[in-house]
Amino acid sequence: MLVAVNSVFQVLAFGLLGWFYLDLLPRWMNLGDGQGLDVSVWHIALNVIIFLGIPLLAGFLTRHIGERRVGRTAYEAKFLPRIGPWALYGLLFTIVVLFALQGRTITSRPLDVARIALPLLVYFAIMFFGSFLLGKGLGLAYDRTATLAFTAAGNNFELAIAVAIATFGVTSGQALSGVVGPLIEVPVLIGLVHVALAWRWNFAAASVTTVP
């Protein structure tokens, strides 16, 4: 249910925000030649539906059929461990292909990479520290607070890459921005792991783990 609800919100958010930032806002601020990119809200939303909808439907059907045929215990103990790694294989394959197509651009245009990276660093800082402080302020235990912070800071890069490629093409500048995202995300999130572990001691012993 959480995945389904998140998918609906992502369709709305990516479609509306894509249209706002790519079409409406440039017209308002007279950026560049004063013309937006004329990107359809529905075109972006359709890309999100395809990227999120197909895996969601496949997961639902796989669980529904698998549990009916072999039972829930066998399904979770035998089938899921076999297909689980394929998600990682697919992600690694995508990253390899993107770097193969964008590698020369990344190495030949370091200033453009830096311009893309700086806003991402600000984003990570605001989302992680803001969410961490929010969770602690709400009285959440450390495990829930850390989960909230990492989910907010590292969410939906794969979706952003997919939408950028589907909308603008795999060799476009927009796709380059999507590729730079994971380049920045991985080392930053590893560093934030150490921050989260250090902040663990700010929680009382009784509030480290959520009580069932």
Side-chain angles (χ1 to χ4, degrees):
M1 288 301 298
L2 287 175
V3 174
V5 172
N6 179 66
S7 299
V8 173
F9 278 106
Q10 292 305 326
V11 171
L12 297 175
F14 268 78
L16 293 175
L17 291 177
W19 168 73
F20 176 77
Y21 283 113
L22 298 176
D23 188 17
L24 187 61
L25 186 62
R27 297 179 192 274
W28 282 356
M29 301 184 66
N30 197 30
L31 299 176
D33 57 2
Q35 300 295 319
L37 295 179
D38 194 23
V39 178
S40 170
V41 176
W42 303 113
H43 180 63
I44 298 176
L46 178 61
N47 293 330
V48 178
I49 291 173
I50 292 174
F51 184 79
L52 293 180
I54 292 177
L56 177 62
L57 179 61
F60 171 78
L61 292 177
T62 302
R63 173 171 286 276
H64 181 69
I65 296 173
E67 288 187 354
R68 290 185 62 182
R69 289 198 172 186
V70 301
R72 182 172 184 176
T73 301
Y75 172 81
E76 294 183 350
K78 296 181 179 180
F79 183 74
L80 287 184
R82 290 182 180 179
I83 66 170
W86 285 97
L88 178 59
Y89 299 155
L91 179 59
L92 291 176
F93 173 78
T94 303
I95 292 175
V96 169
V97 171
L98 287 175
F99 275 98
L101 294 172
Q102 296 280 3
R104 180 173 297 180
T105 304
I106 293 174
T107 56
S108 63
R109 295 164 57 183
L111 292 180
D112 289 345
V113 174
R115 289 173 57 193
I116 297 170
L118 287 176
L120 291 175
L121 292 174
V122 174
Y123 165 82
F124 284 129
I126 293 175
M127 296 303 292
F128 179 83
F129 292 108
S131 300
F132 204 100
L133 294 175
L134 175 63
K136 193 172 190 307
L138 291 174
L140 299 180
Y142 169 77
D143 57 349
R144 293 283 178 87
T145 301
T147 301
L148 174 67
F150 280 107
T151 301
N155 201 17
N156 293 322
F157 258 117
E158 298 85 355
L159 179 57
I161 294 173
V163 172
I165 292 174
T167 305
F168 301 103
V170 71
T171 59
S172 64
Q174 290 82 359
L176 172 64
S177 300
V179 174
V180 173
L183 276 177
I184 304 302
E185 178 186 25
V186 173
V188 168
L189 289 183
I190 291 175
L192 291 176
V193 167
H194 294 283
V195 174
L197 290 174
W199 283 8
R200 179 179 181 177
W201 308 113
N202 293 327
F203 290 78
S207 61
V208 171
T209 304
T210 303
V211 178

